[in-house]
């Protein structure tokens, strides 16, 4: 609790840390960069206020208050807060159903929404919920931003053509109204809008030192004034009242209005935080600065609260202003503070000039900005990358164009969460086989698999929401590969496993045990291993079931799998260990029986040595293939491979018989074949491996 209180107090001490970071060198750089950003912030604040259905001066109030407060309490050194196109558009969508656009009630409601969104952001920052922003996927952000860009673009048709379109009209209404009033186009306004767009697009080719928007406004506005186009019907900004922003008379006790605006405030808070954190992290990728999401939440929350209290509008962070702060050489958050002060000084000095800025010019500037919001590169990347995310992106885009924006955002977020839960609840369960070089694992689709051992990748967590899917997929694989008795699970992608996951693994193991096999694991993470240990599952299996990945197949091949199947019944060479294995198909349709019931008697290596040197030595029958036999065998042993034993078992001499192979597994198959013989044949326990370990004499041919 003490640590939480200390971290909370630290969140509000950010201005002190900023002040300590300022040096004469950074101060000089920040002043120059701040002046540059302020010259962009000024026309944008006017345009975005108009976009939100608000008087232009409201944008100036927000540019002064939100920009300064967001910089002082934010985490990023370059993030520039203030009016943005997205926040303006959502504000218009949220308030238009409850108040007349442009009215005093509308302006007051906008300030109230700013305070409400700010409180939501501030609470999230204090509660250290910065990680929640990760649940808003790129698909939602890209889809919503593209949809918002299209809406903003459509909203500029009216000002550019000077056609009266109902405030807050949707895309379809705007297009139908424009089509019905096409004969009312005001050509001077259209010329101004096109000229502004052309200047913004051409200016970067001439110079990048002066913002293109500023160049277009400075060039177009004097021409409109000199040609007296206002007298011909060109609409201009009108008087901009100078001075500091006044306190807003907020209807804090109007709970009905607050209830109506709550969803919109939540949507503005969420999408604004997504924008702010995404922009801050993008620029931090160039500067190397570490971004604190919780600190940024606090900064954005306080910025909106102060903006609303001082008659401003909901605000967020602007990518182009933030990028300009970095490109202009800004070093600290003081850059944004200087940009806000620049707006205040500029409105005081050039207020009369701002009054003559044509609205068609601002609409043209907004149209260019809106088109840039349709991120075609990211849209194409999401489309190529994931069909699920592509569906979410285009659905969010369509909802943005058809529903109130707050609902479009919230539905998009819910779709992202649903898609995330669907993916985690249905992890891939895939059979794999070695590639041609035996260095990596590839999907086993349309590839031959081992008839005894199935290797499976689990690519997701084993929690209660996923265990049914995982269990069903594993059972389906085992049902498809009916001869498989051993299952090797690769667990490197399993980070969590709960009690339900353990239960599912126990079910799979029971199925394998019924077949006479077992379950093995590789690359089990520590958290999953801990869960297996405390649940008793690890003790049930034993440590020998958890293998080193590099040695797992080698161990299973030489110690667990039935070599009789590999040599006599399998024509595949799936693993590296299979490559040198002699293949000897059994004649006709003969199949080697499996040993069931009572196991055959066994004899140890030392006991067999003593029996061979006793008065009645047994016949040693080595059932390996001739190539194996010739490399080393028990002196006096007779070589009769299993493939020949099937046909010659009735011609074996009577008397005691000991069956020998490499490790004892083929001897068990031979014992099953000779189960009716009396006396029952013995099996050398451990095979030739045990004989060699006992340092007993071997014959080599």
């Amino acid at each position: 609790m003490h640590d939480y209180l200390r971290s909370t107090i630290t969140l509000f001490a950010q201005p002190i840390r900023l002040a300590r970071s300022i040096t004469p060198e950074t101060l000089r750089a920040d002043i120059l960069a701040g002046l540059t950003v302020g010259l962009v912030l000024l026309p944008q604040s006017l345009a975005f206020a108009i976009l939100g259905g608000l008087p232009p001066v409201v944008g100036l109030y927000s540019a002064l208050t939100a920009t300064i407060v967001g910089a002082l309490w934010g985490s990023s050194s370059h993030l520039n807060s203030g009016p943005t196109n997205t926040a303006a558009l959502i504000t218009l969508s949220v308030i238009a159903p409850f108040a007349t656009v442009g009215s005093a009630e509308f302006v007051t409601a906008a300030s109230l929404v700013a305070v409400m969104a700010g409180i939501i952001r501030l609470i999230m920052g204090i509660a250290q919920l910065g990680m929640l922003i990760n649940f808003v996927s790129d698909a939602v952000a890209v889809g919503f931003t593209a949809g918002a860009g299209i809406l903003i673009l459509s909203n500029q048709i009216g000002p550019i053509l000077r056609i009266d379109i109902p405030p807050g009209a949707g895309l379809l209404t705007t297009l139908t109204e424009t089509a019905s009033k096409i004969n009312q186009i005001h050509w001077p306004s259209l010329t101004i809008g096109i000229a502004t767009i052309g200047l913004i697009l051409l200016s970067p080719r001439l110079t990048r030192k002066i913002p293109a928007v500023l160049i277009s406004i400075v060039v177009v506005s004097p021409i409109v004034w000199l040609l007296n186009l206002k007298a011909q019907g060109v609409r201009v900004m009108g008087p901009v009242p100078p001075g500091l922003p006044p306190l807003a008379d907020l209807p804090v006790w109007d709970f009905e209005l607050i209830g109506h605006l709550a969803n919109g405030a939540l949507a503005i808070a969420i999408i604004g935080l997504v924008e702010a954190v995404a922009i801050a992290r993008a620029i931090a990728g160039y500067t190397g600065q570490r971004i604190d999401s919780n600190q940024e939440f606090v900064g954005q929350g306080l910025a909106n609260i102060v903006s609303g209290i001082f008659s401003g509008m909901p605000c967020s962070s602007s990518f182009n202003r933030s990028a300009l702060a970095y490109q202009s050489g800004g070093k600290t958050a003081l850059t944004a503070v200087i940009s806000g002060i620049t707006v205040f000084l500029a409105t005081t000095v050039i207020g009369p000039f701002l009054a003559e800025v044509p609205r068609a010019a601002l609409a043209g500037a907004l149209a260019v900005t809106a088109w840039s919001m349709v991120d075609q590169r990211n849209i194409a990347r999401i489309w190529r990358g994931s069909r699920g995310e592509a569906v979410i992106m285009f659905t969010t885009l369509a909802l943005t164009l058809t529903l109130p924006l707050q609902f479009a955002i919230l539905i998009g977020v819910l779709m992202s969460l649903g898609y995330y839960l669907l993916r985690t609840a249905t992890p891939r369960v895939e059979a794999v086989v070695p590639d041609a070089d035996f260095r990596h694992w590839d999907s086993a689709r349309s590839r031959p698999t081992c008839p005894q051992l199935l290797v499976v990748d689990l690519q997701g967590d084993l929690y209660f929401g996923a265990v049914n899917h995982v269990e069903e997929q594993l059972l389906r694989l085992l049902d498809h590969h009916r001869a498989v008795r051993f299952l090797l699970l690769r667990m490197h992608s399993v980070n969590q496993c709960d009690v339900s996951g353990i239960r599912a693994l126990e079910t799979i193991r029971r199925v394998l045990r019924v077949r006479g096999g077992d379950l093995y694991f590789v690359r089990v993470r520590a958290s999953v291993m801990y869960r297996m240990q405390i649940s008793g599952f690890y003790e049930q299996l034993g440590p020998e079931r958890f293998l080193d990945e590099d040695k797992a197949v080698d161990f299973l091949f030489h110690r667990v799998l039935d070599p009789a199947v590999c040599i006599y019944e399998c024509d595949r060479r799936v693993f590296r260990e299979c490559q040198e294995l002699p293949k000897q198909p059994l004649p006709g349709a003969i199949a080697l029986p499996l040993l069931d019931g009572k196991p055959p008697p066994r004899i140890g290596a030392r006991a067999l040595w003593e029996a061979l040197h006793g008065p009645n030595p047994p016949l040693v029958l080595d059932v390996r293939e001739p190539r194996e036999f010739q490399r080393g065998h028990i002196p006096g042993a007779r070589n009769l491979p299993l493939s020949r034993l099937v046909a010659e078992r009735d011609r074996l001499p009577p008397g005691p018989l000991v069956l020998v192979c490499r490790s004892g597994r083929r001897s068990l198959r031979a014992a099953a074949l000779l189960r009716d013989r009396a006396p029952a044949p013995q099996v050398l326990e451990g095979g030739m491996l045990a004989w060699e370990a006992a340092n007993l004499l071997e014959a080599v041919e």
Side-chain angles (χ1 to χ4, degrees):
M1 185 66 180
H2 180 267
D3 292 339
Y4 174 74
L5 290 175
R6 184 170 58 184
S7 63
T8 302
I9 294 172
T10 302
L11 291 173
F12 292 93
Q14 183 67 10
I16 298 174
R17 292 192 290 273
L18 173 61
R20 290 174 178 172
S21 67
I22 297 174
T23 65
E25 291 77 14
T26 62
L27 179 61
R28 188 182 306 110
D30 289 340
I31 290 175
L32 293 175
L35 290 172
T36 303
V37 176
L39 294 177
V40 175
L41 175 59
L42 175 58
Q44 284 191 350
S45 62
L46 299 173
F48 295 150
I50 295 173
L51 175 63
L54 297 162
V57 70
V58 174
L60 295 176
Y61 293 158
S62 297
L64 174 60
T65 55
T67 304
I68 294 175
V69 174
L72 292 176
W73 275 275
S75 171
S76 173
S77 297
H78 298 93
L79 197 66
N80 191 279
S81 303
T84 64
N85 43 24
T86 306
L89 192 63
I90 302 176
T91 301
L92 176 63
S93 174
V94 169
I95 304 175
F98 310 110
T100 303
V101 176
S103 65
E105 293 79 10
F106 189 93
V107 175
T108 302
S111 297
L112 179 61
V113 169
V115 173
M116 293 170 64
I119 291 173
I120 294 172
R121 295 177 183 181
L122 183 61
I123 291 174
M124 292 178 69
I126 293 174
Q128 299 185 3
L129 299 177
M131 51 88 63
L132 292 180
I133 211 67
N134 297 327
F135 286 97
V136 181
S137 68
D138 284 348
V140 173
V142 171
F144 173 77
T145 303
I150 295 172
L151 283 180
I152 293 171
L153 191 61
S154 70
N155 287 346
Q156 307 319 306
I157 294 175
I160 291 177
L161 302 181
R162 215 201 69 174
I163 293 175
D164 292 326
I165 295 174
L171 178 62
L172 185 60
T173 303
T174 300
L175 295 178
T176 54
E177 286 286 325
T178 302
S180 65
K181 299 177 180 179
I182 196 70
N183 58 341
Q184 300 178 19
I185 292 177
H186 188 252
W187 295 104
S189 296
L190 176 59
T191 303
I192 292 170
I194 294 176
T196 303
I197 293 173
L199 283 171
I200 293 175
L201 297 177
L202 292 175
S203 294
R205 299 184 180 183
L206 302 176
T207 178
R208 292 185 177 273
K209 295 182 178 180
I210 304 175
V213 174
L214 185 63
I215 292 175
S216 64
I217 298 298
V218 169
V219 170
V220 171
S221 298
I223 294 175
V224 171
W225 180 76
L226 289 172
L227 298 178
N228 196 23
L229 294 181
K230 186 164 63 170
Q232 299 182 32
V234 173
R235 295 169 181 169
V236 296
M237 292 283 297
V240 178
L244 294 171
L247 289 173
D249 184 15
L250 299 175
V252 293
W253 304 113
D254 190 344
F255 297 113
E256 183 179 358
L257 177 62
I258 291 174
H260 288 315
L261 301 178
N263 285 337
L266 179 62
I268 290 174
I270 290 175
I271 201 66
L273 291 176
V274 172
E275 284 184 331
V277 174
I279 294 168
R281 288 177 177 172
I283 297 177
Y286 295 97
T287 63
Q289 182 185 8
R290 185 176 179 181
I291 300 300
D292 183 347
S293 297
N294 295 315
Q295 184 68 62
E296 207 57 65
F297 282 20
V298 170
Q300 292 297 310
L302 291 175
N304 274 266
I305 291 172
V306 174
S307 175
I309 291 174
F310 286 95
S311 304
M313 60 187 288
C315 296
S316 183
S317 299
S318 166
F319 182 79
N320 55 10
R321 296 198 301 266
S322 302
L324 181 60
Y326 168 69
Q327 293 166 357
S328 301
K331 301 299 182 183
T332 71
L334 189 62
T335 300
V337 175
I338 299 297
S339 70
I341 296 173
T342 301
V343 170
F344 172 71
L345 296 177
T347 54
T348 304
V349 175
I350 62 173
F353 173 78
L354 295 178
E356 300 300 325
V357 173
R359 288 181 178 256
L362 289 177
L366 280 173
V368 176
T369 303
W371 181 247
S372 68
M373 293 172 66
V374 183
D375 192 342
Q376 300 174 50
R377 180 179 297 178
N378 266 331
I379 289 174
R381 184 169 63 177
I382 292 173
W383 171 257
R384 292 192 301 266
S386 168
R387 286 293 180 264
E389 290 187 342
V391 169
I392 293 173
M393 177 181 66
F394 285 115
T395 302
T396 305
L397 192 157
L399 292 174
T400 302
L401 298 177
T402 54
L403 293 181
L405 298 186
Q406 64 270 29
F407 296 116
I409 296 169
L410 296 178
I411 292 173
V413 171
L414 291 176
M415 287 181 63
S416 288
L417 289 174
Y419 181 59
Y420 168 76
L421 292 175
L422 179 64
R423 285 193 302 175
T424 59
T426 56
R428 290 183 64 185
V429 180
E430 186 174 37
V432 294
V433 293
D435 63 8
D437 298 324
F438 303 102
R439 299 180 62 185
H440 305 287
W441 294 94
D442 286 341
S443 173
R445 282 183 225 154
S446 68
R447 298 270 303 277
T449 58
C450 175
Q452 297 189 78
L453 172 65
L454 190 63
V455 184
V456 175
D457 255 347
L458 293 187
Q459 299 181 12
D461 291 341
L462 275 173
Y463 75 104
F464 64 92
V467 290
N468 287 338
H469 171 78
V470 172
E471 185 176 323
E472 289 174 3
Q473 293 299 306
L474 288 174
L475 291 175
R476 183 184 61 79
L477 286 172
L478 291 176
D479 186 61
H480 181 68
H481 302 274
R482 291 184 176 275
V484 165
R485 295 188 296 130
F486 301 98
L487 183 62
L488 177 63
L489 293 182
R490 303 181 73 238
M491 303 281 285
H492 57 284
S493 296
V494 182
N495 295 305
Q496 299 295 331
C497 179
D498 60 12
V499 175
S500 299
I502 298 296
R503 178 194 57 77
L505 293 176
E506 289 174 339
T507 300
I508 298 302
R509 186 176 187 236
R510 281 196 295 271
V511 172
L512 293 168
R513 298 282 284 181
V514 169
R515 295 186 179 187
D518 213 334
L519 180 62
Y520 293 84
F521 298 90
V522 294
R523 296 185 68 178
V524 180
R525 294 188 178 274
S527 59
V528 177
M529 182 68 78
Y530 174 74
R531 178 63 62 183
M532 290 180 173
Q533 290 170 342
I534 64 174
S535 66
F537 185 60
Y538 180 85
E539 185 177 353
Q540 293 176 28
L541 289 170
E544 65 275 8
R545 302 292 187 274
F546 297 87
L547 309 176
D548 179 88
E549 185 177 35
D550 294 332
K551 302 176 182 178
V553 173
D554 182 77
F555 172 84
L556 293 171
F557 184 84
H558 291 111
R559 302 293 181 90
V560 177
L561 300 186
D562 188 344
V565 174
C566 298
I567 296 174
Y568 303 113
E569 300 177 9
C570 176
D571 58 354
R572 309 165 191 171
R573 299 184 184 273
V574 178
F575 305 111
R576 184 193 299 273
E577 290 75 8
C578 303
Q579 305 310 301
E580 299 298 325
L581 193 68
K583 296 287 186 177
Q584 184 66 46
L586 294 174
I590 297 176
L592 292 174
L594 288 170
L595 184 67
D596 51 9
K598 184 179 179 181
R602 299 173 184 263
I603 185 172
R606 182 62 63 179
L608 177 59
W609 172 266
E610 294 173 355
L612 289 173
H613 292 82
N616 187 23
L619 170 64
V620 177
L621 194 65
D622 195 319
V623 297
R624 294 179 296 167
E625 290 301 304
R627 185 172 59 178
E628 299 175 273
F629 180 80
Q630 292 168 4
R631 291 174 182 169
H633 57 83
I634 296 173
R638 174 184 171 185
N639 183 218
L640 187 63
L642 272 176
S643 56
R644 289 170 49 199
L645 180 62
V646 173
E648 300 180 21
R649 56 183 168 176
D650 295 332
R651 296 197 291 271
L652 291 174
L657 179 67
V658 176
L659 300 170
V660 178
C661 66
R662 184 175 184 274
S663 63
R665 289 171 293 166
R666 273 177 280 181
S667 299
L668 293 175
R669 283 294 191 98
L673 199 64
L674 302 174
R675 70 182 67 195
D676 297 330
R677 179 185 173 90
Q682 294 178 295
V683 171
L684 175 59
E685 188 169 12
M688 287 301 298
L689 293 175
W691 185 271
E692 294 168 1
N695 293 320
L696 298 174
L697 183 66
E698 286 186 71
V700 179
E701 296 183 10

